[in-house]
Amino acid sequence: KEGAQESYVAFAKKVTKKPVVGVGRFTSPDTMVSQIRRGILDFIGAARPSIADPFLPRKIEEGRPDDIRECIGCNVCIAYDGYGAPIRCTQNPSMGEEWRRGWHPEIIAAKASDDSVLVIGAGPAGLECARALGQRGYQVHLAEATKELGGRLIPESRLPGLAEYIRVRDYRVGQINKLTNVSIYRDSRLTSVDVREFGAARVVMATGAGWRRDGCGKTHMRPVPGSDGANVFTPEDVFAGQPIAGPVVLFDDDPYYMGGVIAEALRARGLAVTLVTSNPLVSEWTYATLELPMIQSRLMEADIDIIANHKVTDIAEGAVELACVFTEKARRLQAASVVMVTTRLPNDALYHELTADPDALKAAGIRSVTRIGDCLVPALIAAAVQDGHRYAQELDGPTPADVPFRVEDIRHEPPLYPG
């Protein structure tokens, strides 16, 4: 937690006259200033917070703490950097694109037309899209089917260890509330007729994605037999607090964090949980975000049984059949309930309904209908935020060239060591 390292570094100023710098993912300006004023530190080291918001010090100096994009500690920056790919940040979609696409974390070009934009869905992609379009000066209408803004961020931030993820929503809602040209419509589930009658020239579909119940994903190309039973659940069912009987078998075919945190949430209900994963380790991809050891230990300490390198092959009432992913050797487990954490499908029915009738769109004055974020490709929250930002950046501009990498041309630079 922020400031937790204070007790470990408080002695440093007493044993040296040299300036002391402290790290520990500081995100709160109050905590930073407090440690400086109390003489604990002379400097605050803030690498990840500065990735999330390169202008963090200036905003503190100017008394604008509510404009700070606070780091959520997801370590997506570390993961991408480790892969040698352009660095990414969940909170700051311009990170890694300053040179490649010319994006600035604070400045964005003014609007290039008087087109109004209807953004459908207020999850991470929709919120960032509406915020950035609003900053450009477009008239934006943000329609959310539920009463609460945030989309997937709301239930996920309530899972064990993910509370800070809600900052992705809070920052964007706070910025949107300052814009008079962005209107928000809560509890507004739109139909194709509603969209056509709305009168917006541009329609952006940010309606997210939903977890599959049938077990299809990385391991299974076809539905698992028995996955249509009443004893089979998805993460959305867990989010909604649906009654789930134990013992529970959770089939984790997803390499990121969801399987582990859902297992923890079910264990917190007092249920016996066995996590079956097709991977060698639970939440295997989190080795890239440096979270893997903590996830493993948390699950073990919670007395969650882990069966790695296995898949669920059949679901019956009261039991499931497993098979080794390498040898196909079978085994049977008791299970009153099965939770599938495999893959997600886009919630894109409205998009297809709208685009199936181009003449009706033209008659309604709708110039384009575009999917963004999980509605286009279910992925990381960071990817959804960046996709929403990219739409806003590129609206009414020339068709961007594909620039997977851009490197500095040093052929005409003077030699480093003349002679």
Side-chain angles (χ1 to χ4, degrees), residues 41-56:
L41 300 172
D42 295 298
F43 297 98
I44 298 293
R48 286 175 292 171
S50 296
I51 291 172
D53 196 329
F55 292 88
L56 187 154

Side-chain angles (χ1 to χ4, degrees), residues 119 125-135 140 142 176 179 182 388 392:
V119 180
L127 285 172
E128 175 59 22
C129 184
R131 185 210 63 78
L133 286 170
Q135 185 184 355
V140 182
L142 178 61
I176 288 171
L179 299 170
V182 180

Side-chain angles (χ1 to χ4, degrees), residues 60 66 99-100 115 142 151 163 169 197 219 224 243 259 277 291 303 336 341 357 395:
I60 294 175
D66 55 329
W99 167 253
R100 190 169 73 146
D115 285 352
L142 178 61
R169 179 198 68 178
E197 291 180 348
T219 299
V224 175
T277 176
E291 299 167 290
D303 291 326
V341 184
D357 194 344
L395 181 60

Side-chain angles (χ1 to χ4, degrees), residues 25 48 71-80 88 165 256 285 288-291 294:
R25 197 173 63 82
R48 286 175 292 171
C71 172
I72 67 170
C74 65
N75 280 2
V76 164
C77 54
I78 294 172
Y80 276 79
R88 289 285 178 263
Y165 278 34
Y256 203 17
W285 192 74
T289 59
L290 311 183
E291 299 167 290
M294 290 176 285

